[in-house]
Amino acid sequence: MRPLRLFATALVALGTLLAGTTTATAATSRPAPPLSHTSRTGQAGQVGQVGQVGQVGTHPTRTPAPTVRPFGITSNIGAGYQVTGPGQSITEARASWVQPFVDCTSGGAAQLWVGLDGVASNDPGVEQVGTQVDCNGGNGHYYGFYSLDGTKVAFGSVIPEDNMAASIALIPYTNSQYQVVLSDYTQNWTQTYTVTAAGAQDASAEVMVSGGGTALANFGYNGFTGVALNNSAPSAADSAVTLNNPAGGSAEPTALSANTNFGVSYYSIADVTGQQITAVQAGIPRNQVVYNWTPNGSGYTGQSILRNTSPSLVILPDGGWEEAIMTAYKTLVIIGSDYTYNTGFPLAGGSSPSLAVAADGTLEVAFEASTGHLLTYTPASGGHDTQLQMAGSSTPSIAALANGGFEIAYVTNTGQLGLTGPSGNSVTSGYVRGGTNPSIAAETSNGYLYAFQGTDSTLYEGGSSSAPTPEPTYHLAAGTSPSVAWLSGGPEVAYEASNGQINWLGVYSSTSGPASVGSSSPSVTAYAGGIQIAYQSTNFHLAIYNPVSSFNTLLGMAGTGTSPSSAI
């Protein structure tokens, strides 16, 4: 397994912020994919489909920024991966990505592209196809482009969060003729061109982010998936290139994930290998974007999040990270080191997704769909409608069991705690207080335990071998939910008490913890040395508690109604 390589950037100033609401037009411009356990057209990694340009819409102005894991050599051409060879031997490049939001406060441009040539000293130019964002007056203009022999052709309209795929390939038995393809699977259009590049050398292939001849704009973090360089996935033998843009701005690629995907992060970043991560909805003036905090700093993930919702974060067995969010378009997006994809599934307003990872690296997301049903999603098999009806605007909790499979705790439409997993569906006798949600964690023996706030504000606990049982002396603040984790010695539950303090119960216990803001729930994580609790302090900052120390990260969180998600 590769070591955990997560990186943080210095904070950047933001300009125009996301609007507090999403229009019906924007929300409905992204059709929901079919519900099935089969692969779906347009999944990340598919490229080269030929078709007509469809209807494309206007785009809102948004703001993102960075997080992630670098290594590589320095170049002026771009940040990403490249493979080189003798002339006329490199003939193809392709990749997919989710178009990130670009912070245009400081101007510049950001190109995300695949291409041939331009790296070797004897290459006269580069043949490229991808997306570009030009900043003007603090706003970004998003579009597709291809470029060859120094001439750029712009086409189409791209919106942040669109699933994009690009490819360029030498047409066999031709003299420097290429097929360039750009697909926007979210807006359902593909544009294909046959072009001639008189100066082509076919000496290198690249998948990169660059500034397009001007200062690099702050694109945050971009995850490339389905990458192929000369018909092969990138490997450790290929060059990871760090951009040192002479026009301004820099970017660095991450290490390759277990599935040979990688990301590129804006600006300078510091290695925090082996450390924990906490994801939050950032506070003013960074509302409606996701920030990842680590002990060495923090930075944007490059995607939006709907106001008053929360991200869900896991660390992967291969050392990478993933998180699930409900975007400002109310669709489910997963983003991270191994997968980055806009699923297109609409979530119920007021709910948040929950993400878990199994020991073999399988990811599964549980969420309340706009239909009110409990849905699950995995990158490998797509979405599945369980047909289980949830309470409106509620959030499920999912855990990966020790012997395989996932168990989900949720609030039924009758207000009771429901469970679904390998053993089937059940509804318990416990009733969950309105506006709160359950938490579930796996035990080492393949069992599970859960906690929730009852209708009498009392903390309830139960598990795979026990019914919900009240803890009569422990009362939770209205609108908050407990968080449960499994330690080697037993369970641990963290919660905000009715007096506004963060308390915890289990292997470690305290009824006099630090004060929280109210209507924001804590996140407890177990590790070899004990527990860690992430919570929102009374000054709206992300704060961290563990048995050794408690400290304020100074990272601002959005106001009440959003909670942190932490992983170690």
Side-chain angles (χ1 to χ4, degrees), residues 2 69 71 81 221 224-225 234 254-263 316 318-322 336-339:
R2 63 196 169 107
R69 321 167 283 162
F71 78 84
Y81 275 76
Y221 166 74
F224 285 112
T225 60
T254 73
L256 291 172
S257 68
N259 56 2
T260 67
N261 295 329
F262 70 93
L316 304 176
D318 71 1
W321 61 278
E322 287 293 329
S337 59
D338 290 32
Y339 304 95

Side-chain angles (χ1 to χ4, degrees), residues 308-309 326 347-352 368-373 389-396 411-412 433-437:
N308 296 328
T309 67
M326 191 208 304
L347 279 74
S351 67
S352 300
E368 182 184 357
S370 57
T371 60
H373 289 184
Q389 194 73 36
M390 295 181 62
S393 302
S394 63
T395 297
V411 184
T412 70
R433 187 174 183 180
T436 70
N437 303 293

